[in-house]
Amino acid sequence: MQTVLIIEDDPKIAEHLQSFIEKYGYKATIVEHFDHIMDEFHQQKPDLVLLDINLPSFDGYYWCRQIRKESICPVIFISARVGEMDQVMALENGGDDFITKPFHPEIVMAKIRSQLRRAYGEYAAQAQERILEVEGLKLFPERLELSFRDQTVQLSKKEADIIESLLERYPRVAGREDLLEKLWDEQVYVDENTLNVNITRVRKKIEAVGITGAVETVRGVGYRLNLTW
């Protein structure tokens, strides 16, 4: 039975979510102590997290970043905030999807099932750890790690996704539209400058393992891995 962890400080909404999630055959656990969310996360080992933005002490963005430091389980934000930037912030901080309140239970369940299929279904990565490599540059997507020779650096989920696309497409170009679709799944409008910012971060992470000039800009098309080592 797959487990959904509900991080929502409105008891009525949390119980409502728990009720219909369990109705569909999943286990649903509600976090009650918001200063110890990661303790609950470690204890429950959820397959998916439903996460509100407005929480006591620290907001949902903060807690999503903490989860992303050690897990790539799907995180769906649920919030009354409806602004585009709120949705962008949720995805930028490691979220996989965003649902606005008030929500329809069937929409929530459809998104939960979709994320679980992606993460654990027949098209998900198999139990054996995936390693993508080009000429000694290795990406470990499940660990969110990049290594070259004796250097290793931690990645954010979006950084790992970009590097994965570059390695998979090499020596071809990874198109801007393809990268945007992979990173944000066309859930919200995203300014292309956001992709530029993430590409800059990727370049810095690759430099951190001792490689410079590895990401080439193909003007008007996208980006390509450039073997400079």
Side-chain angles (χ1 to χ4, degrees):
M1 181 182 295
Q2 291 175 306
T3 299
V4 176
L5 185 64
I6 301 168
I7 308 174
E8 163 64 63
D9 65 340
D10 185 321
K12 290 185 178 179
I13 294 177
E15 290 169 6
H16 182 48
L17 286 166
Q18 182 182 46
S19 176
F20 66 75
I21 289 171
E22 291 184 340
K23 173 183 173 183
Y24 283 86
Y26 301 96
K27 177 184 176 182
T29 302
I30 299 172
V31 167
E32 296 181 355
H33 303 290
F34 294 97
D35 290 330
H36 304 286
I37 286 176
M38 291 309 296
D39 291 339
E40 190 77 16
F41 182 85
H42 294 145
Q43 181 180 345
Q44 297 297 328
K45 296 180 174 59
D47 299 289
L48 181 143
V49 175
L50 291 178
L51 179 60
D52 192 15
I53 294 177
N54 294 325
L55 295 170
S57 300
F58 298 99
D59 63 22
Y61 303 140
Y62 170 84
W63 290 115
C64 191
R65 292 195 301 273
Q66 304 316 301
I67 291 170
R68 282 290 169 258
K69 288 179 180 179
E70 51 192 88
S71 174
I72 57 172
C73 82
V75 176
I76 301 177
F77 278 88
I78 295 184
S79 177
R81 300 186 186 184
V82 296
E84 289 180 351
M85 281 310 301
D86 294 310
Q87 298 185 45
V88 170
M89 283 288 291
L91 299 175
E92 279 286 277
N93 280 277
D96 297 283
D97 208 338
F98 192 100
I99 300 172
T100 56
K101 301 174 184 176
F103 51 79
H104 193 286
E106 294 297 333
I107 296 294
V108 176
M109 288 310 308
K111 287 180 177 286
I112 286 174
R113 288 192 293 264
S114 174
Q115 291 296 334
L116 289 174
R117 281 197 303 271
R118 288 186 183 186
Y120 313 110
E122 60 181 307
Y123 299 113
Q126 301 303 307
Q128 184 176 359
E129 182 177 24
R130 291 192 304 136
I131 303 173
L132 286 81
E133 179 180 4
V134 171
E135 297 296 329
L137 180 63
K138 297 180 181 180
L139 172 69
F140 301 86
E142 283 78 23
R143 297 189 217 171
L144 299 179
E145 286 183 359
L146 182 71
S147 71
F148 181 68
R149 295 176 181 165
D150 59 346
Q151 299 294 319
T152 299
V153 66
Q154 290 293 132
L155 305 169
S156 70
K157 185 173 184 295
K158 290 197 181 338
E159 290 164 354
D161 285 342
I162 290 173
I163 294 173
E164 181 176 345
S165 291
L166 292 170
L167 292 172
E168 286 180 338
R169 296 286 296 175
Y170 175 79
R172 296 167 296 163
V173 175
R176 293 182 67 88
E177 293 300 321
D178 292 334
L179 288 171
L180 286 167
E181 182 177 352
K182 180 178 181 65
L183 294 176
W184 291 281
D185 200 26
E186 299 182 327
Q187 296 292 332
V188 296
Y189 170 77
V190 178
D191 190 320
E192 284 203 8
N193 186 58
T194 306
L195 176 58
N196 297 338
V197 169
N198 279 274
I199 289 290
T200 299
R201 292 173 181 165
V202 162
R203 286 183 168 127
K204 290 180 179 178
K205 290 297 177 72
I206 297 177
E207 288 173 1
V209 296
I211 297 174
T212 59
V215 180
E216 176 187 358
T217 300
V218 181
R219 193 171 300 278
V221 181
Y223 302 92
R224 176 170 50 207
L225 189 67
N226 182 25
L227 261 62
T228 58
W229 62 96

